[in-house]
Amino acid sequence: AEYMGNENCCVSEVTSAFSVLLVTGPRSRELLSLVSLSDFSPEGFRYYTSKEVDIGPVMATAKRLSYAGDLGWELHIPVECTQAAYTAIYSVAEEFSIPLSDAGIYALNSLRVEKGFRAFGHELTADDTPYHAGLGFTVKNSNEFIGKNKLIQIQKDGLKRRLVNFLLK
């Protein structure tokens, strides 16, 4: 743990303590609602929100987002509980005839790229601005932020390059 200044803040490295299961697809809401007592309805679990949920016998932090480009949730689970959560999800899927398949990070990256979702360290670097990445809609110039003047200047000067996706046939 590292303490920052005189504030009451502690930063701890916990990466190896958690695993992430992604439950995504058109029936992901139905599946999670069957394996959990938590509310996964559109009203109860809005996009880009996070909350603690039960997944079978396990507590997890669920995040309503998906790099796969479909309805989905990331389930952040303590490593020692991952097998129990995985088994609970698969058992319910089998019981209710909800097709599931395992996929790794490369499959997820393929879906992400196909959907046009960008990732820092892959398509995006520190040299790219939101405008270069096609993400200018996320910039709110009415707010104050570091780099605001530079972004306003880029808007005035126009782009000399831009990240785009294209399909080769």
Side-chain angles (χ1 to χ4, degrees):
E2 181 180 333
Y3 290 90
M4 311 294 286
N6 294 326
E7 299 297 321
N8 294 324
C9 176
C10 178
V11 178
S12 298
E13 171 60 58
V14 297
T15 302
S16 63
F18 293 91
S19 63
V20 179
L21 296 177
L22 175 65
V23 179
T24 188
R27 296 183 70 188
S28 58
R29 184 186 316 274
E30 175 188 0
L31 174 58
L32 290 174
S33 294
L34 290 167
V35 78
S36 176
L37 298 173
S38 301
D39 183 2
F40 287 90
S41 70
E43 302 77 26
F45 211 135
R46 301 180 69 84
Y47 190 60
Y48 264 26
T49 61
S50 175
K51 65 181 177 180
E52 296 300 309
V53 300
D54 63 294
I55 301 295
V58 173
M59 290 306 294
T61 301
K63 298 174 186 286
R64 173 59 191 94
L65 53 95
S66 170
Y67 246 177
D70 202 341
L71 176 66
W73 284 262
E74 287 183 359
L75 304 175
H76 295 250
I77 303 166
V79 168
E80 66 275 8
C81 299
T82 304
Q83 185 63 50
Y86 178 91
T87 300
I89 291 167
Y90 263 83
S91 296
V92 168
E94 186 176 313
E95 180 182 348
F96 290 92
S97 300
I98 299 173
L100 281 185
S101 60
D102 293 331
I105 193 68
Y106 290 114
L108 179 60
N109 270 339
S110 176
L111 293 171
R112 176 186 65 73
V113 169
E114 184 179 281
K115 191 68 176 179
F117 293 165
R118 291 133 174 92
F120 190 79
H122 293 270
E123 297 80 27
L124 304 177
T125 70
D127 296 327
D128 297 308
T129 70
Y131 299 117
H132 294 114
L135 299 171
F137 66 91
T138 66
V139 177
K140 302 275 189 278
N141 281 334
S142 59
N143 296 336
E144 290 302 318
F145 56 90
I146 296 171
K148 177 179 178 177
N149 293 336
K150 180 72 172 174
L151 288 181
I152 290 171
Q153 190 62 49
I154 288 170
Q155 275 186 302
K156 288 179 184 174
D157 295 345
L159 294 176
K160 295 176 180 46
R161 63 181 176 83
R162 176 148 186 230
L163 177 67
V164 297
N165 289 351
F166 57 92
L167 175 65
L168 294 175
K169 288 187 177 188

